[in-house]
Amino acid sequence: MTTTNVFPENFLWGGAVAANQVEGAWLEDGKLPNVTDTLIGIMNTKPSISWNEEQGIWELNLEKDRAFLSHEAVDFYHRFEADIKLMSEMGLKAFRTSISWGRIFPRGDEETPNEAGLAFYDRLIDTLLNYQMEPVITLSHYETPFALLAEYGGWQNRQLIEFFDRYASIIFDRYKGKVKYWMTFNEINNAFRMPYAAAGVIKFPATDPNEPITTLTKKEIYQAVHHLFVANALATKRMQATDPDALMGVMCSFSSLATYPIDCNPANVFGALEFKRNSYLFSDVMCRGHYPGYVKRIWREEDCAPEIADGDLALLADYTSDYIAFSYYRSTVFSVDAEMRVDTGGAKGFDNPFLTEKAPEPWNWPIDPLGLRYVMNELTDRYELPLFIVENGLGIDEGPDENGQILDTERARYLKMHIEEMAEAIQDGCDVIGYLWWGPIDIVSAGTGEMKKRYGFIYVDRHNDGSGSFDRLKKASFDYYKQIIDTNGLDLTINF
Ligand code: BGP
């Protein structure tokens, strides 16, 4: 099947990963642990840390019997040249990853950066440019240095604004003229769903070591979120001053914008609107430059307004996003009668009966390509900013068949259906910078910390028990994505 060629000549077809899910080398060349290093999956586990009453700080406390796969991940830190060469064989025009803050400022509060960390990203970014790939860089993909939580409480502490400003300034200076597309905080709108990972905030001091460590008040999280907003605006200011050609994007998890009311009951329709506003708050502040009225009502009625320092609101107003980067995987259903699942998995117990295709077991995310078109149109209507799909993909538990091949037709179909709807959205008038497949190479799942949830066009021989050769193997979808890129989205025919 072919689409009318609606993609602009310079459309950025690419792939996306995150340092903590791909690099490994978690303590190499001076790096110290970040938040993700204390977790096996950001969704379903408590961090492996404990409270040190005597020193009044949190400490790493990794259980010996648990496999922290992200500590080695797929060893991209040592294999990135060969991996990027493979990506270039597909014809990727752009490659997104994060710079691990803890490689540059291991504790996060140092005055001077760790040169070995910078040297790694020099090599990585130069390799991407050598293969004519646009680097698309996230400054923190859930990767706040652990010491900033352990000794400062994380982003509820205003000092982190200064630490992040120091980090961002070093990075913009180092890579000006090389990196055009930046984002600060990955899926910042997950701050309330996953405060420890997405907002880098922790109960501090721990009032009761037995209490779940992320039991934070709404006020504590709004305070952390406000500091993240200010840090993002400052970083945007720094970036503009350093490289006028660079662009800063807000980055949100926007599967949650494809939230459908379960029926035409006005309570469910308005409830879905309110649920979506949990995400819209972040893009509203970062794209429009001010706090919307609906959040001020929540602050009034629940007494959870953040402390806002003089000058903060002016910063937010003056330094807004140049584009909207977002992840889209699935849609979700809202009902006032149901608890909403944490992972934007919709209303517990209420699936969408009109979506017959689902991701494979055990994840079962509903497959809803039209939901992508819906989200793109809503974002364009609301902000009229360029859009950048920086995560879309399908995780499958798969491996080589008896012929040593991986015929991942399901993945090709998911890709085809979402490109078709993206083409529709472009014809609807959406301005789209590019499309980055999440996980062009198998990496460690963020949500579950597993290897078996494989997104890649390239298979990596590594398994949940930590075993494997780390060898790479092209899946059938590798040539399929190459065909799509070679024809600029025109030929979507699946031949396997
Ligand atoms: C997003 C994260 C990515 C990625 C993706 C897929 O929320 O930004 O890090 O992991 O989810 O999720 P998972 O890996 O859990 O399948």
Side-chain angles (χ1 to χ4, degrees):
M1 189 242 170
T2 62
T3 56
T4 325
N5 200 350
V6 296
F7 296 101
E9 264 319 295
N10 58 355
F11 190 77
L12 292 180
W13 297 99
V17 294
N20 75 86
Q21 295 174 251
V22 74
E23 289 179 1
W26 74 299
L27 295 179
E28 200 151 324
D29 292 336
K31 177 182 173 293
L32 288 179
N34 65 41
V35 163
T36 60
D37 293 319
T38 70
L39 287 164
I40 295 183
I42 56 178
M43 288 292 189
N44 52 11
T45 52
K46 288 277 170 284
S48 298
I49 63 178
S50 50
W51 178 250
N52 178 321
E53 190 61 41
E54 197 180 307
Q55 294 186 33
I57 61 169
W58 288 100
E59 290 177 325
L60 203 56
N61 182 5
L62 301 177
E63 297 87 332
K64 301 286 173 288
D65 59 344
R66 300 179 76 194
F68 291 81
L69 294 176
S70 65
H71 290 178
E72 286 72 40
V74 293
D75 195 34
F76 185 73
Y77 189 80
H78 300 107
R79 299 164 188 255
F80 69 90
E81 280 103 340
D83 287 341
I84 291 168
K85 183 173 182 303
L86 269 177
M87 312 269 181
S88 76
E89 287 176 28
M90 279 189 275
L92 262 57
K93 311 280 187 235
F95 183 77
R96 175 191 176 216
T97 189
S98 56
I99 289 179
S100 189
W101 185 355
R103 293 199 189 284
I104 315 302
F105 289 95
R107 286 177 38 85
D109 61 2
E110 297 89 342
E111 294 288 335
T112 52
N114 170 33
E115 182 52 34
L118 288 166
F120 167 67
Y121 290 106
D122 292 352
R123 294 194 303 276
L124 172 55
I125 288 168
D126 288 344
T127 303
L128 290 171
L129 294 171
N130 291 341
Y131 282 104
Q132 289 80 49
M133 285 184 218
E134 279 286 352
V136 179
I137 302 296
T138 316
L139 288 175
S140 179
H141 196 117
Y142 299 139
E143 296 157 347
T144 305
F146 177 61
L148 294 183
L149 280 84
E151 299 174 31
Y152 294 84
W155 278 98
Q156 64 193 307
N157 185 328
R158 192 172 177 89
Q159 282 182 272
L160 267 72
I161 294 174
E162 175 199 346
F163 300 147
F164 188 79
D165 184 37
R166 193 179 300 155
Y167 162 54
S169 304
I170 289 284
I171 295 299
F172 294 139
D173 274 339
R174 190 86 170 208
Y175 303 114
K176 64 180 173 239
K178 291 187 173 184
V179 177
K180 177 176 177 181
Y181 297 99
W182 296 97
M183 287 157 267
T184 47
F185 306 107
N186 179 67
E187 297 191 326
I188 188 171
N189 63 309
N190 279 336
F192 285 87
R193 276 199 293 266
M194 309 181 287
Y196 179 72
V201 62
I202 194 169
K203 199 73 181 167
F204 192 83
T207 44
D208 165 5
N210 301 314
E211 143 186 318
I213 67 154
T214 55
T215 307
L216 295 148
T217 64
K218 267 195 175 182
K219 186 177 179 66
E220 286 166 329
I221 300 179
Y222 275 118
Q223 188 64 64
V225 165
H226 177 68
H227 292 154
L228 287 164
F229 286 150
V230 172
N232 174 75
L234 260 180
T236 305
K237 179 180 179 182
R238 290 276 184 206
M239 178 203 74
Q240 291 172 357
T242 309
D243 183 348
D245 296 331
L247 299 170
M248 181 64 79
V250 52
M251 197 297 181
C252 284
S253 161
F254 275 161
S255 297
S256 45
L257 292 189
T259 293
Y260 312 139
I262 195 163
D263 57 25
C264 54
N265 173 351
N268 284 324
V269 176
F270 190 74
L273 172 82
E274 288 188 310
F275 181 75
K276 286 167 68 167
R277 278 175 162 174
N278 293 332
S279 289
Y280 268 135
L281 165 65
F282 295 83
S283 44
D284 281 354
V285 172
M286 295 167 83
C287 297
R288 291 171 160 166
H290 59 267
Y291 281 106
Y294 58 82
V295 74
K296 292 178 182 172
R297 175 171 180 169
I298 294 169
W299 291 348
R300 274 196 313 275
E301 295 183 349
E302 300 181 37
D303 187 23
C304 56
E307 312 277 315
I308 296 176
D310 291 347
D312 286 357
L313 297 181
L315 261 179
L316 299 186
D318 292 345
Y319 297 99
T320 57
S321 304
D322 302 302
Y323 65 94
I324 299 175
F326 65 98
S327 61
Y328 177 83
Y329 291 95
R330 45 154 308 136
S331 60
T332 180
V333 165
F334 176 86
S335 163
V336 290
D337 301 326
E339 189 190 330
M340 295 308 284
R341 286 198 195 105
V342 162
D343 64 357
T344 71
K348 269 200 173 108
F350 290 90
D351 287 338
N352 187 328
F354 300 96
L355 295 178
T356 49
E357 295 203 57
K358 287 189 187 312
E361 293 287 337
W363 306 289
N364 295 326
W365 290 358
I367 295 177
D368 181 4
L370 181 53
L372 173 60
R373 181 182 175 188
Y374 172 73
V375 167
M376 293 172 74
N377 273 277
E378 261 209 356
L379 287 170
T380 298
D381 291 352
R382 193 175 184 108
Y383 303 112
E384 291 195 338
L385 283 173
L387 306 178
F388 201 162
I389 298 163
V390 297
E391 292 184 25
N392 177 243
L394 182 69
I396 305 174
D397 181 4
E398 62 198 344
D401 61 18
E402 60 283 1
N403 303 316
Q405 292 181 309
I406 300 174
L407 303 177
D408 50 340
T409 313
E410 243 180 313
R411 177 171 292 109
R413 290 194 65 252
Y414 183 96
L415 176 57
K416 173 175 180 294
M417 293 188 288
H418 285 81
I419 290 177
E420 286 168 341
E421 292 302 338
M422 184 170 55
E424 293 301 320
I426 291 173
Q427 294 173 82
D428 297 334
C430 298
D431 174 3
V432 190
I433 296 168
Y435 172 89
L436 308 182
W437 175 267
W438 175 255
I441 183 171
D442 289 351
I443 56 180
V444 178
S445 158
T448 68
E450 295 177 295
M451 268 308 299
K452 78 173 189 179
K453 190 173 188 187
R454 299 175 183 278
Y455 281 87
F457 303 125
I458 300 163
Y459 176 83
V460 175
D461 178 37
R462 188 164 199 229
H463 308 279
N464 276 6
D465 62 3
S467 66
S469 64
F470 284 81
D471 288 351
R472 274 67 168 146
L473 171 70
K474 294 176 185 176
K475 304 177 191 175
S477 57
F478 181 99
D479 288 334
Y480 180 59
Y481 198 38
K482 181 178 183 324
Q483 167 192 305
I484 291 173
I485 298 173
D486 286 348
T487 61
N488 196 25
L490 192 58
D491 184 0
L492 302 179
T493 316
I494 298 175
N495 298 307
F496 63 95

